[in-house]
Amino acid sequence: MLTAHTIKILQSLDKKKFRQKYNLFLVEGNKIICELSESNFKVKEIFSTDPQKLDRTDVPVTQITENELKKISFLKTPKDSVAVCYLPDEEKTEDRDVQLVLDGIQDPGNLGTIIRLADWFGIEQIICSEDTVDVYNPKVIQATMGSFTRVNIMYTDLVEYLSKTENINIGTDMEGENIYTFEKPEKLNLILGNEGNGMRPETEKLLKKCITIPRFGKSQSTESLNVSMAAGIILGQLFSK
């Protein structure tokens, strides 16, 4: 049985300040929870309506009711189990040959999808501006479908970082080079900007190359693509060469 105090703490973990206060975040659903055992993430405890399905003996697993699950879940349709995990220490690692750089991405679903795309294409690191949505937001974690366990996410001052990186900084622009004829550099940072405003002017100044996804529709009236859709198209083309 969950105490009122425990429920209150778990419910507060939808906000970044409380995730940082308690040094905890939540992972929901048996499928994603099972992937945690293959990662460096440490699980504090698991609450489940059916503990036998998890087959975890290395961490405490508490059986709870469907009603209790609804109280601690952030999903409209709660999934079987909730794992309480410790926030990891941020890894300061060297540049990888191909990286994504996110400048002010705000939508949790977009960040989660971009992390899944990175995982799919074997991109091991994403560099985020300090105002990009927190990767441990429950909606981001859910949208990654477990990919957050395989992609290193770093938050930093982008202007400082992009000024020093040895990778080629590439961004999107309507007047940029056609992605289908663009020659991919060996080492690159693909920079994706905010959903509504694009990348900041100070970030844009640090671009070495610009690319665009040409429109093939007759009307040519679509203004732009969703940032995660654009990322998928660009990565698919870059990795096909």
Side-chain angles (χ1 to χ4, degrees):
M1 182 177 173
L2 289 174
T3 65
H5 179 66
T6 298
I7 291 171
K8 185 178 179 181
I9 290 175
L10 297 182
Q11 288 175 339
S12 75
L13 297 180
D14 66 330
K15 293 182 174 60
K16 184 177 180 180
K17 67 177 181 179
F18 289 112
R19 290 194 291 274
Q20 292 178 331
K21 176 181 177 180
Y22 297 114
N23 197 40
L24 300 171
F25 72 101
L26 296 187
V27 175
E28 299 196 42
N30 287 350
K31 183 179 181 299
I32 306 178
I33 290 172
C34 287
E35 293 192 41
L36 291 169
S37 59
E38 303 297 320
S39 74
N40 293 325
F41 286 90
K42 294 181 180 178
V43 179
K44 180 176 185 281
E45 55 190 324
I46 298 173
F47 299 102
S48 177
T49 57
D50 191 354
Q52 289 183 331
K53 286 185 178 178
L54 285 167
D55 192 29
R56 293 290 296 265
T57 56
D58 55 323
V59 295
V61 181
T62 301
Q63 183 158 6
I64 58 173
T65 65
E66 293 282 353
N67 192 44
E68 287 175 318
L69 180 66
K70 287 178 184 177
K71 289 180 182 178
I72 63 173
S73 174
F74 296 118
L75 302 176
K76 287 182 180 178
T77 308
K79 297 182 177 180
D80 37 64
S81 306
V82 172
V84 185
C85 304
Y86 293 104
L87 290 175
D89 295 328
E90 189 172 278
E91 292 181 36
K92 296 291 183 184
T93 59
E94 296 179 357
D95 283 1
R96 310 297 170 89
D97 287 351
V98 179
Q99 299 182 138
L100 294 179
V101 177
L102 308 183
D103 187 8
I105 299 296
Q106 294 298 300
D107 182 80
N110 279 337
L111 178 56
T113 301
I114 289 168
I115 293 170
R116 284 185 75 184
L117 283 167
D119 187 24
W120 183 267
F121 286 101
I123 296 172
E124 297 175 346
Q125 185 158 270
I126 297 177
I127 312 295
C128 300
S129 63
E130 290 163 334
D131 63 340
T132 289
V133 61
D134 182 29
V135 63
Y136 300 109
N137 178 307
K139 292 179 181 176
V140 177
I141 292 293
Q142 200 61 37
T144 71
M145 295 301 292
S147 288
F148 77 93
T149 63
R150 293 179 290 275
V151 180
N152 184 42
I153 314 293
M154 277 179 55
Y155 288 80
T156 190
D157 180 318
L158 276 197
V159 172
E160 183 182 351
Y161 171 76
L162 293 173
S163 300
K164 295 177 179 178
T165 180
E166 293 183 7
N167 287 15
I168 303 295
N169 296 326
I170 297 171
T172 55
D173 187 278
M174 295 300 286
E175 305 302 318
E177 191 176 335
N178 187 326
I179 184 62
Y180 298 108
T181 56
F182 176 73
E183 286 196 25
K184 171 187 164 190
E186 282 189 23
K187 297 188 175 186
L188 66 91
N189 294 321
L190 174 60
I191 304 167
L192 302 168
N194 174 270
E195 290 88 346
N197 303 315
M199 67 185 74
R200 278 170 271 236
E202 53 266 40
T203 304
E204 208 164 354
K205 286 177 185 176
L206 296 167
L207 296 180
K208 298 288 175 63
K209 293 179 181 288
C210 288
I211 54 176
T212 190
I213 302 169
R215 289 180 293 190
F216 294 100
K218 288 183 180 179
S219 69
Q220 300 284 296
S221 57
T222 304
E223 279 190 16
S224 62
L225 290 170
N226 170 283
V227 64
S228 56
M229 289 173 61
I233 293 168
I234 294 168
L235 291 175
Q237 185 58 27
L238 288 178
F239 280 90
S240 70
K241 297 176 181 180

